[in-house]
Amino acid sequence: MTATIDWAPVLAGDPLLQISQELFSTMIDLEPGLVERWVGDRPILDDPRYTWVDVAGEQLVRVVIGTGRETGEAITRALLGLPDGTPVSDEDYVDAVGEVANVVCGNVKSLVTHPGTLTIPVVAPAAPALEHGTCLEDACLSWRGAPITVALWLLP
Amino acid sequence: MKALVIDDSRVMRRIIGAILTDVGFEVIEAGDGQEALMRLEQHPDVRLCCIDWNMPVMNGYEFIVATRKRPEYRDITLMMITTEGEQEQIVRALAAGAHEYVIKPFTADVIVDKLGYLGLLDAEVHA
Amino acid sequence: MTLAPDSFDFVATLVRRRSAIQLDVGKEYLVESRLAPLARSAGAIDVEAFIRSVRANVTLHDQVVEALTTNETSWFRDRHPFDVLKDTVIPDAMTRRGGQLRVWSAACSSGQEPYSIAMTVAEHFPQLRASIVATDLSESVLAQGRAGQYSQLEVNRGLPAPLLVKHFERKGPVFEVSEQLRSMVTFRRHNLLDAPPLGGPFDVVFLRNVLIYFDVATKRDVMRRVRSVLAPGGWVLLGAAESTIGVDDIWERVPVAGGALYRPREGKAA
Ligand SMILES: C[S@@+](CC[C@H](N)C(=O)[O-])C[C@H]1O[C@@H](n2cnc3c(N)ncnc32)[C@H](O)[C@@H]1O
């Protein structure tokens, strides 16, 4: 069953935008409407950080989230309920943005009923090299005006 | 009342812990199922466990199976809180003995509402 | 940008006339935020411009009214009405009517309320033949009720997991209500300001979290219309913040564990 996941209907539902909106509205913003599709040219991320989680099953599915460091810190503070401007430790950062990737990836997995386990999140200053993978969707979103990229990959 | 929050993500533990503390629980934490079993030994008065599914060492499903084998833990309410949203997984967890199941992402009131009908809210704190 | 008083008045009057929902001065922000998405999809430059085009085009009136309804709801909302249904209302109706139950879920929003009623029946009275008429003013919430599809966030809200797996099936991003529950519920568009819907007389009417939007005279009239389709011995359930006290003394409030039931007083016949 895994080898023949039919992605077309799943992708038609705009899953990355939808899941991100649900996640941000419930756990980060505590109100809806602050995540939208990015309008205009794809921006360059400022001091970028990439965070990814895989579903390791027969097929390897990866969700990669890209943000500027500052945006990631803002996400971390919001998730943890810390006041604006509180310094964010690396540990909290990895844990918080990692959890965002984890929830997005877990929700994608549920959409395709893909049996397999989620891996521990990885954070790095560069996007993972994925020459041999297929990019199924690469969404650029705007959260309170800051760019966040969310990509879904199928790895060999 | 004492609650045990079992999740490998510290951030998640803090988020869930804050929700529970707000409604009057005393919260202890564990990073995986194995550690959680140890905590239960130390705190036999735990009434509620909030359990993630995917964790290293011992996952949440295995933890539920393990606690359900122990008659002394019969009165503990087990609530899964996980990104695993497939119907099959929900059915499996309930069949193994979970009482409730929350799919991430969630809001605080989803958890509080479920605690309410599970009879775990102290009327005074949460009037 | 703040809404011109004249534009606000126009919207408030339209909404009051069509739905009886009261939008008092001070609710400008609500009008703006609810109409902004409509304005955007209509290509208007702002809400003010959108309202200008609404004034000139009656076919846009329905969607404006719908946008200003509050559709907030959840499964087994407040719990106790569903306990009362199970412990008091249904057993009571069964002694009078045998194996049949007629329910009106008025202002049902997206269907969580009528389906919660259907689940109560399916779980505790599987032999009972229940027909639930579920009505609302808003077509968009009715469409969701008819489709019987709810997002993960929606099923998280108040639906016990054992009932979720029993009565729903996951289909991609949504959970879909079972055929068994669906066969009990009929969704129909209905405005509470109009004559009551067909399908009565009803053994119980759920009229929850909608009277709060109306003025006293409208509350009384709506309740009187409800009474006209109540079966002898039938009950009305209101929302947690609602009551007939100070509205109309033809109603008797009967306290039950955790809340109250309402029925017409004896001797005050319709
Ligand atoms: C807050 S919801 C209540 C839903 C459900 N009864 C509950 O308690 O969860 C209120 C509903 O009343 C509907 N409504 C408002 N005015 C109405 C009217 N005049 N006639 C019929 N329905 C109306 C709205 O469309 C909305 O779905």
Side-chain angles (χ1 to χ4, degrees):
Chain A
M1 162 171 117
T2 44
T4 55
I5 292 176
D6 185 3
W7 286 96
V10 173
L11 297 174
D14 223 342
L16 298 181
L17 174 65
Q18 273 227 307
I19 297 166
S20 306
Q21 284 178 332
E22 291 196 350
L23 171 63
F24 276 77
S25 68
T26 50
M27 305 195 69
I28 295 173
D29 298 318
L30 311 183
E31 58 175 313
L34 295 168
V35 171
E36 283 162 3
R37 195 178 291 291
W38 185 268
V39 187
D41 291 342
R42 211 181 164 90
I44 294 168
L45 300 174
D46 195 18
D47 190 11
R49 292 289 182 284
Y50 293 88
T51 308
W52 61 94
V53 170
D54 298 346
V55 189
E58 266 170 67
Q59 243 181 344
L60 198 60
V61 177
R62 172 171 295 177
V63 168
V64 186
I65 296 192
T67 66
R69 166 89 199 186
E70 262 182 39
T71 308
E73 288 187 358
I75 291 174
T76 305
R77 281 190 289 265
L79 254 182
L80 289 173
L82 303 174
D84 276 358
T86 315
V88 170
S89 69
D90 282 349
E91 203 188 0
D92 279 351
Y93 188 102
V94 173
D95 218 14
V97 184
E99 192 57 33
V100 170
N102 185 51
V103 172
V104 174
C105 195
N107 276 270
V108 168
K109 166 173 136 70
S110 303
L111 280 184
V112 294
T113 48
H114 182 61
T117 35
L118 299 177
T119 59
I120 307 287
V122 180
V123 181
L130 299 168
E131 306 87 55
H132 301 294
T134 319
C135 181
L136 294 172
E137 197 190 336
D138 187 1
C140 187
L141 310 177
S142 155
W143 174 57
R144 299 172 182 264
I148 297 179
T149 63
V150 187
L152 178 62
W153 288 81
L154 212 54
L155 302 183
Chain B
M1 252 191 269
K2 233 179 235 181
L4 175 56
V5 176
I6 313 161
D7 198 307
D8 57 335
S9 156
R10 235 163 18 98
V11 166
M12 258 314 151
R13 290 203 301 272
R14 265 200 258 172
I15 292 171
I16 298 167
I19 296 171
L20 297 177
T21 309
D22 265 359
V23 292
F25 279 91
E26 183 187 330
V27 176
I28 51 179
E29 300 183 356
D32 63 68
Q34 189 82 60
E35 191 191 341
L37 288 174
M38 256 166 52
R39 292 273 170 279
L40 283 185
E41 301 277 350
Q42 298 160 343
H43 302 268
D45 53 341
V46 163
R47 289 286 320 277
L48 165 73
C49 294
C50 293
I51 314 149
D52 185 22
W53 192 302
N54 293 302
M55 293 180 290
V57 190
M58 177 191 272
N59 71 30
Y61 178 78
E62 293 159 349
F63 170 81
I64 287 180
V65 172
T67 34
R68 278 298 163 236
K69 287 200 187 124
R70 305 272 296 267
E72 68 271 33
Y73 296 151
R74 214 178 21 223
D75 294 335
I76 302 180
T77 300
L78 303 176
M79 183 188 291
M80 282 304 259
I81 306 183
T82 165
T83 58
E84 296 278 344
E86 289 106 312
Q87 186 135 359
E88 247 174 73
Q89 300 288 73
I90 308 175
V91 171
R92 261 182 83 203
L94 294 178
H99 299 89
E100 258 307 336
Y101 201 102
V102 177
I103 307 167
K104 292 175 190 168
F106 55 84
T107 53
D109 56 319
V110 164
I111 309 274
V112 173
D113 177 69
K114 292 201 186 265
L115 294 176
Y117 62 75
L118 290 166
L120 289 172
L121 282 192
D122 192 339
E124 277 162 55
V125 183
H126 198 72
Chain C
M1 186 204 71
T2 45
L3 219 51
D6 181 49
S7 303
F8 175 74
D9 276 353
F10 168 77
V11 173
T13 307
L14 172 67
V15 170
R16 188 178 325 112
R17 223 181 49 237
R18 292 290 198 87
S19 70
I21 296 172
Q22 303 286 323
L23 292 171
D24 300 327
V25 173
K27 291 278 173 76
E28 287 82 358
Y29 71 94
L30 187 75
V31 171
E32 278 203 59
S33 66
R34 296 284 183 83
L35 295 188
L38 293 185
R40 219 176 301 138
S41 59
I45 49 164
D46 58 21
V47 171
E48 200 68 60
F50 177 67
I51 294 175
R52 272 198 299 278
S53 58
V54 173
R55 281 172 179 248
N57 185 350
V58 281
T59 63
L60 295 174
H61 288 188
D62 274 358
Q63 38 165 307
V64 169
V65 175
E66 285 202 13
L68 282 150
T69 59
T70 298
N71 308 120
E72 166 103 3
T73 187
S74 58
W75 304 95
F76 297 95
R77 183 164 180 181
D78 300 331
R79 298 279 139 191
H80 109 271
F82 300 90
D83 293 338
V84 171
L85 180 68
K86 162 170 76 80
D87 298 333
T88 307
V89 172
I90 294 181
D92 185 43
M94 282 170 83
T95 58
R96 275 179 291 106
R97 310 241 295 129
Q100 252 202 59
L101 181 78
R102 289 189 182 179
V103 184
W104 177 18
S105 167
C108 65
S109 191
S110 37
Q112 282 86 336
E113 179 176 283
Y115 286 130
S116 298
I117 298 169
M119 276 186 267
T120 306
V121 170
E123 290 295 306
H124 303 284
F125 306 92
Q127 310 299 339
L128 190 64
R129 270 171 299 125
S131 71
I132 302 162
V133 176
T135 64
D136 201 281
L137 178 69
S138 156
E139 274 300 345
S140 56
V141 293
L142 290 170
Q144 185 180 3
R146 286 193 192 102
Q149 295 187 338
Y150 301 91
S151 73
Q152 200 162 279
L153 290 184
E154 287 168 323
V155 298
N156 261 349
R157 292 197 61 195
L159 186 59
L163 295 181
L164 170 67
V165 294
K166 192 160 165 195
H167 295 290
F168 293 73
E169 194 186 332
R170 185 161 185 145
K171 294 207 168 142
V174 298
F175 288 83
E176 194 176 283
V177 176
S178 72
E179 196 41 51
Q180 188 206 1
L181 297 191
R182 263 205 254 208
S183 66
M184 288 188 233
V185 184
T186 312
F187 287 93
R188 235 179 253 153
R189 178 152 197 211
H190 172 260
N191 190 333
L192 288 168
L193 304 183
D194 297 337
L198 301 175
F202 300 102
D203 300 298
V204 55
V205 177
F206 279 66
L207 179 64
R208 309 194 62 239
N209 304 300
V210 64
L211 290 182
I212 34 169
Y213 302 108
F214 301 156
D215 63 18
V216 172
T218 310
K219 285 182 191 164
R220 190 192 56 224
D221 294 348
V222 168
M223 289 289 290
R224 292 215 172 189
R225 277 189 286 274
V226 166
R227 185 184 57 166
S228 73
V229 286
L230 213 50
W235 295 102
V236 179
L237 276 151
L238 301 179
E242 295 161 332
S243 131
T244 57
I245 296 167
V247 173
D248 198 349
D249 69 358
I250 66 164
W251 293 94
E252 180 189 0
R253 181 178 189 274
V254 180
V256 285
L261 282 167
Y262 295 86
R263 66 177 168 201
R265 276 185 212 284
E266 306 264 333
K268 302 235 177 185

